Amino acid sequence: MNPTIQPHSGAWVTFTYASFAGSAFLVGIGVFFLPIDLWMKGYLTMGIVMLIQTCVTMTKTVRDNYESSKFVNRIEDAKAERLLMEVSKAA
C-alpha cells in the first residue's frame, strides 16, 4: 500500500453514505407529494435517477484521470532518478 495515500475513516464513509441516502429519500418524498400528475412525477424521478448516475460516472472519471496522471508522473520521476544515478556513477 502506498504510504502517501491516507484512507478515509469509517465515520467519514458512513457519513457520505448516510448523506446520499438521506438526500435521495427526501427528494423522493418531495416528488411523491407534489400536486402534479403521475407522468410528471415519473419524468422528475427519471431525471433524478439520471442525475445521480451521471454524478457517479463523472466523479469516477475525474478520479481515474487524477490517479492515472499520478502514476505516469511516478514512472517519469523514477526514470529521471535512474538516469541521474547513472550519470552520477559515470562521473
Side-chain angles (χ1 to χ4, degrees), residues 7-43:
H8 295 296
S9 68
W12 176 254
V13 172
T14 302
F15 173 76
T16 58
Y17 283 122
S19 296
F20 173 77
S23 63
F25 176 75
L26 291 173
V27 168
I29 292 296
V31 170
F32 180 76
F33 284 112
L34 278 173
I36 56 177
D37 293 335
L38 186 60
W39 72 269
M40 289 181 191
K41 290 179 184 183
Y43 183 78

Side-chain angles (χ1 to χ4, degrees), residues 37-66:
D37 293 335
L38 186 60
W39 72 269
M40 289 181 191
K41 290 179 184 183
Y43 183 78
L44 289 174
T45 302
M46 181 180 63
I48 291 166
V49 168
M50 291 178 71
L51 179 65
I52 291 170
Q53 185 268 328
T54 55
C55 285
V56 169
T57 304
M58 183 181 69
T59 302
K60 183 184 180 322
T61 302
V62 168
R63 176 70 182 202
D64 289 347
N65 285 340
Y66 174 73

